[in-house]
Amino acid sequence: MAGTVIIGCADQTLAYELRAQLAEVAELEVLALAETTGELVRAVVEREPNLVIVHDQLGPEPVHQVIRDLGLRRPSSVTLIVAGDSDPENLGLALDAGARGVLTYPLSFSEVQQRVTNALDWSNRLHELLVERDSTRSGHRALVLAVTGAKGGVGVSTVATHLAWDVRRELPDHKVLLIDLDLEKGDITSFIEARYRTSVADLAKVADDLSLRTVADAVFVHESGIHLLLPPEDVRDSEYVTAQAIRQIVGLVRQQYDLVLVDAGARVTPVQAAVVEIADEVVSITTPDLVSLRGLRRQVATWEQLAVRKADMVHVLLNRHSKADEVQPDTAARLSPSPLIPVALPDQGRKLERATNSRSPEYATDTSWWQSLRAIGRHVGIAARRADGEPDATAERSRARGRRRADGDEGSASIEFVSVFPWVAIMCLLLVQLVVVGITYMWTGYAASAAAREMAMHSSYLDVRAAALDRVPAVMEGSVQVLTDPGVGRSTVSTQVPLLVPGVAATPWRITVVRQVVMEP
């Protein structure tokens, strides 16, 4: 039976013997040989083998805890433990942790063949079941996203809270859990109102006996639909929240939610390291200044030293970006030890003040803020279900409302147009008449000036009248009156105002223009 295997063993002699035995058993491909539990977890998560063989002396993390984590994160990868004895107590602990069997040392070829063959068969069956479950979407397996800060005050709680809010607003049927693991300075409740009695410390106290009911009792459900698991009000209870307890809590809630957002704070602690190690994605937030970027480099280097996550597996988010910053995204990308998310969060200044003071993210109304958050969520894999083709309920409702609005407005628009049309026509006619009045005044003025020039040259009345009529259109000549008074030195031209179109009809009003005449000697 063909398959893939990853070996976790620091003893080189035992590792060599294992590889030799596996080469004889079946068509097995050894994908990696891990010498620490950290290397083993990363290799299994990245390559997802059919079989994982772990030496019970592998460290530094407890082997049974690592097996339990791998069973939650990669259930189709079956684990076998290599132990130096077959003590029933050890066997029971291994099986309780999720191991499929135990290989006792020294190795027996027949035992290795039987265990490996059974494990591969079990892995293939589990893989088929998981594929069927994913195809029918009947199961829940949350994406665990850890949000950390390069230093304090870079906006971790703001981003985590608003990200959860945006996911719930976009996908109302998405179950979102927001965990505040900044145990000493957690301030999620400063951004979203929550009055709670139980905390993550209460869960940690019973971590060895967790159940769905226990988790449900400890979670606070906000009116927006976001579930909150908050830090203890008494900081002394933080000592109950250990790395092992967090592993068990996250492993359980992973099965009940679609998205688990963890605010892991800025300080590297055993709890934060555990979250960074078991999270599917890690986003470290920094601001465009060298102090934050230096903190980011120290933080990522510490994670690598602890063997919990490599630098290239961390997403770096640039917050409070402005074009006036001395450190622009391209500079930050060169200084960052990890890949920079191509979308930066713009500097909001005081735009988030109302949302923060009211502890309600809905009062953040800047569109660019929400668009950037949604793009960041897409980048790290949040709400990927909709991207896979599931209809967007919100967009569908918007389109439906748009269709209803369009259908309903069509009839009302016709009625409004019929009622408004007469007024529009009257206004247009008045405008045309005003233009005709203006043109008539202009022509009358030209005629009066021409008559005055002829009168100054001592021309006869007929010549004066002819000069005046020559400056108006022929269709208006019949309405023109020309008067001269050589004694006073004045010529008067009067024209009847046409009604809309010259030459068709005329109004009872006349326009009269008088010009003074200086008689030539």
Side-chain angles (χ1 to χ4, degrees), residues 183-197:
L183 299 175
E184 298 177 357
K185 299 181 179 179
D187 54 0
I188 289 291
T189 53
S190 296
F191 298 91
I192 185 168
E193 186 174 8
R195 298 177 181 176
Y196 63 101
R197 294 181 178 178

Side-chain angles (χ1 to χ4, degrees), residues 146-162:
V147 184
T148 68
K151 69 177 188 63
V154 296
V156 175
S157 299
T158 304
V159 172
T161 306
H162 286 210

